[in-house]
Amino acid sequence: MAEKRRFQAIKGTRDLLPPETELWNRVEATSREVFGTFGFGEIRPPIFEPTELFARAVGGETDIVSKEMYSFEDRDDTSVSLRPEATASVCRAYIEHNMHAWTQPVKLYYIGPMFRRERPQKGRYRQFYQIGAEVLETLQQGQGGPKDIAKDAAVDAEVVEMVMTFFARLGLEGVQLEINSIGHNAAECRRGYVEKLRAALTEVKDQLGEDSRRRIETNPLRVLDSKLEHEQPIIEKLPRISDHLCDDCRKNFAEVKRQLDLRGVVYKENWRLVRGLDYYMRTTFEITARGLGSQNAVCGGGRYDGLVELLGGQATKGIGFAIGEDRLILSLLEARKEVASDEWRVASGRIGCDVYIAWMGSDCQVAAIKAAQELRAAGLRVELPPVELKFGKALGQADKVGARFALILGEDEVASGQWTVKTLADGTQEKVSAAEMVDWVRRKTGAKV
Ligand code: HAM
């Protein structure tokens, strides 16, 4: 006989259980509602893609691609990877489905699991969930001039406004938005800056940690992300991108800020916000929230003009973000610590029980099943015990599942067509006719049809 073995979820993955899943559903429903009001439609890309897609889009030198992807050889010897993020997939889908021919811009959102082999800790998992959105627009002839700088800025600001609206709707606390512009990939803009930064870093190389020393060659911008205490004063003295933006990028960033102001979105500038994915240009942003410890970024995003082209499509602009849903939920729960998790159960109104049907006698089971069918068809939450229980036991059970009413169905009730309904909160009982039952419960619970 096989040895007995208890299995556990793989490190960095976890089961999401009720009642917390009710909160997840509520958060997702709210995102759909809010994003819908901004004209976004849902896309559901696959969970795995060719490894090469992420290597190209996110960047072969990034931590995500070089260290954190779950990649494997498929049976036909092609390399596939569990998606570490979804922007690459959305761009792949945009090209594959000729979305450049759709009404522009194309606004899409997604909700689902992502996979990164990071060191697990609070707010950091190997399977985590993102709620993200992307706005894509293929350039028409004659586009791409100075007018676009203002237009892009307004699009960026509206995308940020959408996330902030969503967070406000959820009552997320301690929300702080940081923005930056990392310019564009040209000698007179970011490329020139990166060379200056590399030179400055080389001068202080001996004072830097191992990671930062390596990044001087591979990706000097990422040194700005360092959280190492002793590197902070060194980083503060490094050249800043804001002093090296080209004219267009500078104008664009000023306009992004003006557009955020117009929308009443409060932000802080952070010149060190460079983000860990290679596809960004110009606007980048991150949002933090309360109660998350060191993993406090609840949303990250930015502009990625050119990514669709890099993946074989036409010249296309892009801007988007992804919210870490696990962190969002953690922060919401943290703020509501004093409220028992049952609060979510009641607030969400999905699990729990409106009516517990206590029945005794095989004739009564038929009536009980019919009553359960009618009540459920009216959207009410019903518990029907699978075997008959003595009424005392049934009422105890009704209490345990938190039912509001117990419907008592014995031989007398079935014979008279008058059912006994007990309100569990105060123990009162009344008779209600079988025909009026559904309306009666609906009225009492305030349930909608
Ligand atoms: P990201 O900054 O890599 O950006 O991830 C976005 C958010 O996902 C983070 O701010 C964080 O809340 C959450 N997150 C990332 N890794 C983990 C993890 N291991 N555990 C829990 N949560 C995590 C992107 O993924 C870009 N695709 C965002 C984007 C869309 N940019 C443009 N469009």
Side-chain angles (χ1 to χ4, degrees), residues 54-55 58-71 81-85 115-118 128 130 215 222 275-280:
F54 301 114
V58 178
E61 294 290 343
T62 59
D63 285 354
I64 295 177
V65 170
S66 66
K67 300 193 215 156
E68 297 168 0
M69 269 205 307
Y70 284 95
S71 304
S81 294
L82 298 184
R83 61 182 186 192
E85 61 107 53
F115 305 84
R116 296 184 193 174
R117 201 174 192 290
E118 295 191 79
F128 60 98
Q130 284 187 344
R215 286 183 170 141
R222 286 310 301 275
R275 314 262 308 121
L277 303 91
D278 282 355
Y279 48 63
Y280 291 113

Side-chain angles (χ1 to χ4, degrees), residues 66 88 105 127 206 208 220 224 267 273 422 448:
S66 66
Q127 173 171 340
D206 297 343
L208 297 173
L224 306 181
Y267 57 86
L273 188 64
K422 180 167 178 159
K448 292 193 193 83

Side-chain angles (χ1 to χ4, degrees), residues 212-375:
S212 296
R213 273 210 300 271
R214 187 168 37 80
R215 286 183 170 141
I216 297 178
E217 287 316 313
T218 56
N219 192 350
L221 282 176
R222 286 310 301 275
V223 176
L224 306 181
D225 260 357
S226 161
K227 304 263 176 338
L228 286 182
E229 192 93 29
H230 84 274
E231 290 184 346
Q232 302 310 309
I234 305 167
I235 293 171
E236 281 306 309
K237 290 196 207 101
L238 292 170
R240 300 184 174 206
I241 181 95
S242 46
D243 299 327
H244 296 85
L245 291 178
C246 69
D247 267 2
D248 280 355
C249 287
R250 193 188 313 276
K251 278 186 203 144
N252 170 261
F253 191 36
E255 186 61 15
V256 169
K257 289 183 273 185
R258 195 180 75 86
Q259 286 287 340
L260 287 171
D261 290 337
L262 287 181
R263 291 168 166 75
V265 174
V266 180
Y267 57 86
K268 213 173 88 189
E269 279 182 62
N270 176 2
W271 72 276
R272 289 174 57 175
L273 188 64
V274 291
R275 314 262 308 121
L277 303 91
D278 282 355
Y279 48 63
Y280 291 113
M281 51 95 68
R282 291 192 173 156
T283 310
T284 56
F285 60 95
E286 251 171 41
I287 302 172
T288 54
R290 190 173 299 163
L292 293 173
S294 63
Q295 301 302 313
N296 64 350
V298 74
C299 174
R303 176 163 283 278
Y304 50 87
D305 295 1
L307 177 57
V308 167
E309 208 173 357
L310 183 74
L311 298 175
Q314 302 182 19
T316 301
K317 296 177 176 209
I319 161 91
F321 63 83
I323 294 162
E325 193 177 358
D326 307 72
R327 294 183 190 175
L328 174 57
I329 301 272
L330 264 177
S331 181
L332 288 171
L333 286 174
E334 196 74 23
R336 285 163 181 74
K337 241 184 187 154
E338 71 282 8
V339 181
S341 56
D342 267 3
E343 180 95 350
W344 290 112
R345 180 197 290 250
V346 176
S348 68
R350 288 220 200 93
I351 49 178
C353 176
D354 294 311
V355 183
Y356 188 96
I357 303 180
W359 60 274
M360 254 184 94
S362 57
D363 288 351
C364 300
Q365 187 175 20
V366 180
I369 290 172
K370 198 158 167 280
Q373 288 174 340
E374 285 174 5
L375 289 162

Side-chain angles (χ1 to χ4, degrees), residues 8-14 70 116-121 124-127:
Q8 281 185 332
I10 289 171
K11 186 173 170 193
T13 73
R14 61 206 180 119
Y70 284 95
R116 296 184 193 174
R117 201 174 192 290
E118 295 191 79
R119 200 165 43 77
Q121 64 181 85
R124 193 159 75 192
Y125 309 98
R126 290 180 172 177
Q127 173 171 340

